[in-house]
Amino acid sequence: MTVERKNNINYGKHFIDDEDIRAVVEVLGSDFLTQGPKVGEFETRVSEIVGATFTASFNSATSALHCACLALGVEKNDVVWTSAISFVASANCALYCNADVDFVDIDPSTFNLSITDLSKKLKFCHDNKLKLPKVVIAVHMCGNPCDMRSLKLLSNEYNFRIIEDASHALGSKHLGEFVGNCKYSDITVFSYHPVKNITTGEGGTASTNDPILFKKLKQFSSHGIVKSQEDLRKKSEWSLYYEQQTLGFNYRMTDISAALGISQLSKLDGFISDRNVLANEYNNFFSHKNVRVQTVSDFDISAYHIYIVLLSSKSERFKLFNFLKQKDIHCSFHYPPIYSQPYYRNLAKTYMPCPNADEYADRALTIPLYPSMSLELQSKVMSAIEDYGL
Ligand SMILES: *Cc1c(COP(=O)(O)O)cnc(C)c1O
């Protein structure tokens, strides 16, 4: 069996080869489609690669974020803060726990949560005796690592916990080490949706160095049930004895997905270097144009899950998007501010202001970049942009 590929140009695209297909087919012929050996193997591989002690797998990053919040004790009357510019899942996870959510503005050059705005808002809430966040969810936008050391210092000062939503950042490096080692956070979540850096179809993981958090993550992902002797409240001689000790969910990853994930992980280095080669080409190209691109620290490596440019105005973005679309080049938009979504507006809360996020939302455009994109294909995108004339 071989993989056929069409030649239309999208903003992102998964990469599946014959090895991936074989890995999945092998599981289909085995004794376990789910809850077999592949899930644990995948978790171990992720831990080894990112440098965390433990990794729990999930059927999506969204469910991993939900359980990460639960594991950190997020509940009613708590508030969770996250970046104004992210996928809605970064905020929804707090609402699932009946907590409130509020937003930190972005830094207009990194597109990440602004440490300056965060520290201003923390101080304001502290001075005015307003509720401080129990958890801050930092999003590594496009794979660009957040300034985790500064975030950690603030968390010590204001006593909040940290979740990294690293859905874009598998393979990114911060200060020389892989994102996911949880050096500056409690839990790091990755997504394996097909547009992300590797895929398991649908899937996610949560890594941590804390054995208690790890146990909670596992337990919440599987109905709140525990089975191992040391965790049981009642001792039993019967090997089939288990206990449901809390209310959990069926958020488990399947062995089919995990086998695909293991196979994909072996290609991660190649994916990240392909993405960086393409991103460098774009960076050079746009350095001569009236367009802003994302700033990545010299001490970091971005996985470049997506490549975003900021156009000079809303109308310029609209025109360029349509111009490229006519040439079969399909761009995208990541993301409108979460608080601007009708659902969030209908909650009738007042959110803290995020002027940078509002401005970003008018101008951001995600242009095509994915591992199997050839340099020839990329030149087609660049010459189309050249034809448009920026
Ligand atoms: C994709 C994404 C998610 C959700 O991932 P799923 O695996 O699709 O649930 C969460 N946060 C961010 C920033 C994402 O990009």
Side-chain angles (χ1 to χ4, degrees):
M1 201 180 337
T2 47
V3 186
E4 257 184 74
R5 293 198 181 89
K6 284 197 292 193
N7 235 6
N8 58 339
I9 311 180
N10 287 315
Y11 83 87
K13 200 192 250 169
H14 61 264
F15 179 92
I16 297 287
D17 64 12
D18 293 346
E19 202 177 70
D20 296 324
I21 293 169
R22 268 200 301 276
V24 170
V25 169
E26 197 181 302
V27 172
L28 291 174
S30 78
D31 288 341
F32 295 98
L33 301 188
T34 191
Q35 297 180 276
K38 291 295 174 190
V39 169
E41 202 181 316
F42 179 61
E43 292 171 337
T44 304
R45 282 297 293 137
V46 172
S47 289
E48 284 167 357
I49 289 171
V50 304
T53 318
F54 307 103
T55 297
S57 55
F58 290 85
N59 56 8
S60 71
T62 302
S63 38
L65 285 165
H66 180 190
C67 293
C69 286
L70 290 172
L72 292 173
V74 173
E75 60 187 2
K76 198 171 162 59
N77 297 322
D78 288 330
V79 57
V80 170
W81 289 5
T82 189
S83 181
I85 299 293
S86 184
F87 186 53
V88 290
S90 309
N92 288 347
C93 55
L95 302 186
Y96 296 156
C97 303
N98 301 307
D100 281 326
V101 70
D102 212 336
F103 300 95
V104 181
D105 205 358
I106 59 162
D107 177 318
S109 60
T110 63
F111 310 166
N112 282 331
L113 160 159
S114 154
I115 295 293
T116 315
D117 190 59
L118 175 62
S119 84
K120 221 169 63 188
K121 283 172 173 167
L122 288 166
K123 185 168 183 330
F124 179 84
C125 290
H126 176 265
D127 293 349
N128 291 281
K129 305 220 168 349
L130 298 169
K131 209 174 278 174
L132 286 160
K134 183 169 208 167
V135 173
V136 171
I137 302 177
V139 184
H140 305 299
M141 188 65 185
C142 312
N144 188 20
C146 293
D147 177 359
M148 293 304 296
R149 276 204 294 216
S150 303
L151 186 59
K152 183 71 186 157
L153 287 175
L154 287 172
S155 89
N156 294 339
E157 191 179 343
Y158 291 97
N159 200 27
F160 58 80
R161 311 292 292 270
I162 301 172
I163 297 172
E164 295 174 71
D165 181 347
S167 293
H168 300 183
L170 183 72
S172 292
K173 282 188 171 176
H174 183 46
L175 306 169
E177 294 176 89
F178 278 108
V179 167
N181 66 3
C182 302
K183 201 163 168 177
Y184 307 100
S185 68
D186 297 287
I187 297 171
T188 305
V189 169
F190 293 107
S191 169
Y192 309 109
H193 180 280
V195 295
K196 305 293 162 71
N197 301 346
I198 67 157
T199 189
T200 61
E202 294 275 7
T205 50
S207 295
T208 183
N209 297 327
D210 180 337
I212 295 167
L213 286 179
F214 174 62
K215 269 192 183 163
K216 289 184 176 174
L217 288 165
K218 282 304 244 183
Q219 198 180 341
F220 282 122
S221 76
S222 195
H223 309 282
I225 285 174
V226 298
K227 286 181 182 159
S228 74
Q229 279 298 328
E230 69 204 41
D231 299 324
L232 294 171
R233 304 228 169 115
K234 199 180 95 181
K235 295 302 155 203
S236 172
E237 299 293 301
W238 198 33
S239 62
L240 291 183
Y241 179 72
Y242 66 83
E243 291 174 354
Q244 184 196 342
Q245 296 180 345
T246 185
L247 186 62
F249 306 87
N250 182 351
Y251 279 172
R252 293 183 307 259
M253 179 179 274
T254 67
D255 275 50
I256 302 168
S257 291
L260 178 55
I262 296 163
S263 178
Q264 287 264 298
L265 278 177
S266 68
K267 292 182 271 279
L268 177 65
D269 285 352
F271 288 161
I272 302 304
S273 60
D274 288 354
R275 286 177 178 280
N276 272 271
V277 167
L278 294 162
N280 277 332
E281 291 290 323
Y282 276 146
N283 286 343
N284 291 333
F285 175 73
F286 286 113
S287 65
H288 311 290
K289 301 258 176 292
N290 185 21
V291 159
R292 265 232 318 277
V293 302
Q294 191 177 29
T295 305
V296 179
S297 156
D298 290 340
F299 302 104
D300 292 343
I301 294 171
S302 173
Y304 279 106
H305 156 57
I306 43 180
Y307 193 91
I308 292 172
V309 293
L310 291 189
L311 283 310
S312 59
S313 67
K314 195 170 184 168
S315 62
E316 187 89 287
R317 176 183 58 185
F318 185 73
K319 281 190 287 183
L320 179 61
F321 175 83
N322 286 326
F323 181 86
L324 294 175
K325 195 173 161 195
Q326 275 173 5
K327 301 191 174 238
D328 235 358
I329 297 169
H330 302 277
C331 296
S332 189
F333 170 39
H334 300 88
Y335 305 90
I338 297 173
Y339 52 76
S340 72
Q341 296 291 348
Y343 177 79
Y344 278 83
R345 282 200 228 168
N346 287 342
L347 293 177
K349 308 248 181 215
T350 35
Y351 300 109
M352 299 182 288
C354 298
N356 295 338
D358 291 330
E359 186 179 336
Y360 168 96
D362 282 346
R363 295 167 51 198
L365 188 69
T366 305
I367 64 172
L369 186 156
Y370 46 88
S372 63
M373 185 185 202
S374 63
L375 288 168
E376 289 72 25
L377 215 54
Q378 188 187 27
S379 329
K380 264 175 71 174
V381 176
M382 291 188 290
S383 49
I385 294 170
E386 200 72 71
D387 291 347
Y388 173 82
L390 278 175

